[in-house]
Amino acid sequence: MIVLTPSGSPQTFSFIPRDNTFNVMELTDEQTNVTTAVAITSSTTGDYINTITATFGLVEGHFYNLVLRVGTTIIYKDRVFCTAQSLVTFSVNNNQYVSNSTTNDFIVYE
């Protein structure tokens, strides 16, 4: 899974494709089912890992399906999650979970 932020600045991610040739990148929002084409700003081809830099218009907390294609041939598929939280401190329950305090009293019957 690729984790990106909802910022309007260019972002970079790395991936391992089936082929080094691709010219179309599409993102489909899983909640709205809207597909948008994303312009690739730059791409770097390595021995095993490729890198793409692009500007994404993402919404906080949404999941996306990413597809890289050349024509109709799919070169790479992945899932993208958009969050503004730092990956080190990421929590699904950010500021939503309230802990339950208890005295932990219990009775044992013999």
Side-chain angles (χ1 to χ4, degrees):
M1 180 185 306
I2 300 169
V3 179
L4 298 173
T5 62
S7 71
S9 60
Q11 300 180 62
T12 303
F13 67 92
S14 298
F15 62 101
I16 301 172
R18 295 180 186 156
D19 191 6
N20 288 330
T21 311
F22 50 87
N23 57 5
V24 176
M25 180 168 51
E26 294 178 340
L27 282 175
T28 304
D29 190 333
E30 290 184 358
Q31 292 176 340
T32 61
N33 203 26
V34 174
T35 301
T36 57
V38 178
I40 300 171
T41 306
S42 69
S43 69
T44 306
T45 303
D47 289 336
Y48 297 103
I49 297 177
N50 292 2
T51 304
I52 286 183
T53 301
T55 302
F56 304 91
L58 304 177
V59 178
E60 170 80 25
H62 282 217
F63 285 94
Y64 297 87
N65 291 319
L66 173 98
V67 176
L68 289 173
R69 292 187 289 131
V70 66
T72 58
T73 306
I74 296 175
I75 304 301
Y76 179 76
K77 290 178 82 172
D78 206 344
R79 195 168 187 207
V80 175
F81 180 62
C82 177
T83 182
Q85 294 182 43
S86 149
L87 289 180
V88 175
T89 60
F90 177 76
S91 171
V92 175
N93 300 333
N94 187 29
N95 298 328
Q96 294 179 4
Y97 177 75
V98 179
S99 63
N100 184 16
S101 61
T102 179
T103 59
N104 225 5
D105 293 336
F106 60 93
I107 300 172
V108 176
Y109 295 105
E110 291 186 27

